[in-house]
């Protein structure tokens, strides 16, 4: 398949291009497009064939449901069977934005889009290119992140092209994603709201509106007996090609430990990388040292993490160590993704233990 790659400026949107892209989706084709979280691989959410094509292009198991993207609240009424009252409060505050809500679905949504589930995940993105495209496409775009299954989600078009060139009809380059981490997913179909995937909209932010909210345990634990409620969270995910290990403990100890391990790996001929912070980057020795930003700036860390993981791949880095980050606020989402990227490979250094 010949993939058309076009650039669109969010500040000055070329509506003729958007019309073309919308037509591709209406006719059952696929268009990769920017959102404020990560790039999405879009097809008509109400067309079962389009959803099948999305799974094939992404190399994704078809039991893993897709998020349906809408551009206005009215669109929700024809795809959600029951809409709890809190939906409107959440929507007022966080839509358009990086929040996905789960509802019972109507028959209008094919089961191919929802991976066979009777529920549907819905999000209204804030990115203006995404919104224009949704409107031009008929109002409902099913879109997973554009990464080939298992890889870190693309936040810049370069990595969308790497993963999808030749597999979709069009790729829209809209620059770097503002947030860099996928949406928070909250399930509203049970007795209590449950966060299935943490994100930029934090538990605290949801609790301001919903009262108490639960976090699906499987978001942070590896071997729980129950399967995750968001089927996608059970697959190995976000992984760079190199072997990634997270090191937890007092910063000084962590630094010493990582430097020692890096030296060993380099001695064995491996190319090494470190995920550091502005505070620590100068004290490492590795083939590639990348700072995610200031340690306290979780929003910045969230924005840079996936891109850094992909850059290590570009550089052929084989062994990667990462510092651990504060699991508060957006940091909770950062640690959720980092743990999955590392396949839960974590080394915990005991306080005061001799790390040299
Ligand atoms: O920010 C985002 O949400 C991005 C952009 C493109 O909008 N999309 C995204 O989609 O992250 P994806 O497919 O990579 O992740 C969707 C997650 C998966 O883990 C999937 O299992 C879960 O949402 N999900 C979708 N529908 C669901 C449902 N009905 N019930 C439970 N989980 C669902
Ligand atoms: Mg994904």
């Amino acid at each position: 398949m010949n993939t058309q790659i076009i650039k669109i400026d969010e500040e000055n949107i070329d509506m003729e291009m958007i019309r073309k892209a919308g037509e591709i989706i209406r006719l059952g084709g696929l268009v990769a497009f920017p959102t404020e979280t990560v790039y999405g691989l879009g097809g008509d959410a109400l067309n079962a064939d389009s959803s099948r094509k999305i799974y094939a292009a992404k190399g994704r198991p078809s039991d893993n449901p897709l998020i349906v993207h809408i551009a206005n609240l009215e669109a929700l009424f024809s795809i959600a069977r029951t809409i709890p009252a809190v939906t409107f409060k959440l929507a007022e505050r966080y839509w358009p934005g990086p929040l996905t809500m789960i509802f019972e679905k109507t028959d209008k949504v094919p089961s191919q889009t929802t991976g066979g589930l009777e529920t549907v995940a819905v999000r209204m993105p804030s990115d203006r290119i995404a919104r224009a495209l949704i409107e031009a496409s008929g109002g409902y775009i099913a879109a997973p992140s554009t990464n080939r299954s298992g890889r870190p989600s693309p936040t810049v078009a370069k990595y969308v092209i790497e993963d999808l060139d030749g597999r979709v009809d069009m790729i829209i380059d809209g620059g770097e994603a503002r947030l860099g981490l996928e949406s928070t997913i909250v399930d509203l179909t049970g007795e209590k709201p449950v966060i299935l995937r943490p994100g930029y909209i934090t538990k605290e932010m949801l609790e301001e509106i919903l009262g108490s909210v639960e976090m699906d345990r499987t978001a942070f634990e590896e071997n729980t007996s129950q399967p995750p409620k968001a089927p996608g969270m059970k697959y190995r995910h976000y992984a760079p090609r190199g072997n990634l290990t997270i090191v937890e403990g007092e910063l000084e100890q962590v630094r010493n430990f990582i430097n020692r391990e890096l030296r060993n790996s380099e001695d064995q001929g491996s190319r090494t990388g470190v995920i550091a912070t502005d505070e620590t980057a100068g004290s490492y020795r590795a083939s590639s040292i990348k700072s995610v930003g200031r340690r306290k700036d979780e929003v910045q860390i969230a924005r840079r993490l996936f891109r850094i993981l992909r850059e290590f791949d570009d550089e052929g880095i084989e062994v990667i160590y990462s510092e651990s980050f504060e699991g508060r606020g957006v940091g909770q989402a950062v640690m959720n993704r980092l743990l999955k990227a590392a396949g839960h490979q974590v080394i915990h250094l005991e306080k005061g233990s001799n790390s040299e």
Side-chain angles (χ1 to χ4, degrees):
M1 180 187 294
N2 183 28
T3 301
Q4 196 185 347
I5 299 170
I6 62 166
K7 267 200 162 84
I8 295 186
D9 176 4
E10 196 186 354
E11 298 308 319
N12 182 17
I13 297 179
D14 180 343
M15 288 308 289
E16 187 46 42
M17 278 299 180
I18 292 287
R19 251 192 302 281
K20 267 186 155 176
E23 171 130 323
I24 291 174
I25 291 181
R26 280 176 194 271
L27 294 176
L30 303 182
V31 176
F33 63 100
T35 84
E36 72 277 21
T37 58
V38 298
Y39 274 75
L41 198 188
D44 180 356
L46 306 185
N47 178 341
D49 272 338
S50 297
S51 293
R52 274 192 213 100
K53 283 189 199 166
I54 291 174
Y55 290 116
K58 197 175 153 74
R60 175 181 201 158
S62 58
D63 67 344
N64 190 354
L66 306 172
I67 294 176
V68 178
H69 296 69
I70 58 175
N72 53 62
L73 202 53
E74 293 73 66
L76 183 62
F77 294 97
S78 52
I79 56 173
R81 183 181 301 284
T82 39
I83 303 178
V86 292
T87 306
F88 301 102
K89 289 193 195 158
L90 284 173
E92 196 180 337
R93 187 80 155 261
Y94 300 121
W95 273 4
L99 177 67
T100 296
M101 300 186 227
I102 295 183
F103 306 94
E104 316 278 338
K105 79 172 188 72
T106 64
D107 293 342
K108 213 174 156 185
V109 187
S111 65
Q112 282 78 3
T113 300
T114 62
L117 297 178
E118 283 307 313
T119 53
V120 61
V122 186
R123 171 161 116 80
M124 190 191 295
S126 64
D127 184 283
R128 293 174 50 224
I129 299 171
R131 297 167 65 74
L133 180 64
I134 295 165
E135 274 164 2
S137 307
Y140 301 92
I141 297 185
S145 48
T146 53
N147 52 291
R148 297 294 301 277
S149 206
R151 310 215 54 215
S153 308
T155 57
V156 287
K158 176 180 177 211
Y159 298 124
V160 180
I161 295 167
E162 202 175 287
D163 284 6
L164 295 180
D165 195 11
R167 308 176 73 88
V168 295
D169 299 284
M170 184 185 266
I171 294 173
I172 300 176
D173 177 350
E176 182 162 18
R178 275 194 299 283
L179 304 179
L181 207 67
E182 305 92 337
S183 60
T184 303
I185 302 179
V186 61
D187 185 353
L188 300 172
T189 62
E191 255 164 52
K192 268 192 140 192
V194 184
I195 297 173
L196 307 188
R197 180 175 71 183
Y200 186 81
I201 307 291
T202 62
K203 186 167 186 284
E204 294 73 25
M205 287 160 83
L206 292 173
E207 284 180 337
E208 280 172 28
I209 291 173
L210 298 173
S212 99
V213 177
E214 277 172 25
M215 177 72 71
D216 186 17
R217 278 178 48 224
T218 58
F220 296 97
E221 292 168 29
E222 187 184 13
N223 293 316
T224 48
S225 49
Q226 88 229 60
K229 294 207 182 87
M233 300 306 273
K234 76 176 175 244
Y235 297 106
R236 183 165 157 80
H237 222 145
Y238 313 119
R241 296 206 177 92
N243 182 26
L244 170 62
T245 307
I246 303 167
V247 185
E248 270 178 7
E250 279 179 354
L251 206 50
E252 174 74 24
Q253 267 184 307
V254 167
R255 243 170 9 196
N256 291 339
F257 179 88
I258 290 181
N259 265 330
R260 194 182 58 206
E261 295 300 312
L262 291 170
R263 214 156 45 228
N264 288 340
S265 298
E266 290 271 344
D267 285 348
Q268 288 161 26
S270 299
R271 283 180 62 75
T272 59
V274 190
I275 301 178
T277 46
D278 287 356
E279 291 85 344
T280 58
S283 57
Y284 288 112
R285 301 184 75 80
S287 317
S288 180
I289 300 160
K290 296 191 187 289
S291 174
V292 282
R294 282 182 302 117
R295 183 153 266 287
K296 289 260 174 272
D297 189 351
E298 278 109 15
V299 170
Q300 174 80 293
I301 297 175
R303 186 182 304 137
R304 290 193 184 164
L305 181 65
F306 284 149
R307 185 170 186 169
I308 284 177
L309 293 175
R310 302 282 302 220
E311 285 171 357
F312 281 136
D313 288 353
D314 294 347
E315 296 165 20
I317 301 300
E318 301 162 280
V319 176
I320 307 163
Y321 285 89
S322 176
E323 295 174 8
S324 180
F325 304 102
E326 194 93 47
R328 270 183 303 124
V330 183
Q332 197 161 45
V334 168
M335 283 313 292
N336 162 270
R337 305 306 194 277
L338 193 58
L339 281 164
K340 288 197 190 295
H344 288 267
Q345 210 162 216
V346 184
I347 292 173
H348 183 78
L349 302 175
E350 289 302 326
K351 213 170 181 163
S353 70
N354 186 4
S355 58
E356 264 308 294

